[in-house]
Amino acid sequence: MNTRAWIVFLDESGVSLLPQIRRTYAPRGRTPLLRHRLNWKRASMAGALGYHSTDPDRGARLCFHLKPGSYDTTALIEVLEQMKAFYRGEQVVLVWDGLSAHWSRAMRAWVAEQDWLTLERLPAYAPELNPVELLWSSLKKRELANLASDHLADVADATEQGIHRVNHNPRLPWSFLAHTGLTIHPPHPPNLRKDQ
């Protein structure tokens, strides 16, 4: 693995017009009601949280992609093309799960032609090791909570507001990583500490 690469965790999730119901406050005796049409329209979102392997001062980077429908190999390659432009030629080690589109023959052939990208696989059934899962949780508990809309555009707008909130709080992406129990940066040996 390249020791000067960005370690990037990628995951996909779905959003729909069905509201994410969350507990809320209301005056006593006035139970809040969510009125919505039963509509199964869905969109998919892909998020990539990147952490530099040797320089934590470079901050965390968040890439986000939203599309109607679901992701397949072709759509994920488009996401990776956008990520390539986002990282402007820097080396990336991409960590993602075992979704079939992540490891399809077409994906592996495309990755084999990329000199900037290395793939690593998360262990099976270990979503708790992916900090992007915490990004989805954050969005669904805040911006998407109790959102009853008739249009996917409203859901997309709320999701993008959440992405901006996370991007404007530099500590939040690091807290997602800390919650997984993973570390990117090795501790400094006692004789090489920065404070000496």
Side-chain angles (χ1 to χ4, degrees), residues 65 104 142:
H65 187 267
S104 68
R142 290 220 22 204

Side-chain angles (χ1 to χ4, degrees), residues 39-61:
N39 190 325
W40 293 99
K41 284 187 182 176
R42 294 185 56 82
S44 295
M45 51 189 178
L49 273 170
Y51 308 90
H52 198 271
S53 60
T54 58
D55 187 0
D57 295 331
R58 293 187 71 180
R61 290 187 179 175

Side-chain angles (χ1 to χ4, degrees), residues 70-82:
S70 58
Y71 284 102
D72 59 8
T73 298
T74 303
L76 285 170
I77 288 173
E78 290 174 16
V79 170
L80 295 178
E81 288 281 6
Q82 290 179 7

Side-chain angles (χ1 to χ4, degrees), residues 31 44 56 88 98 184:
T31 303
S44 295
R88 294 186 187 102
I184 299 292

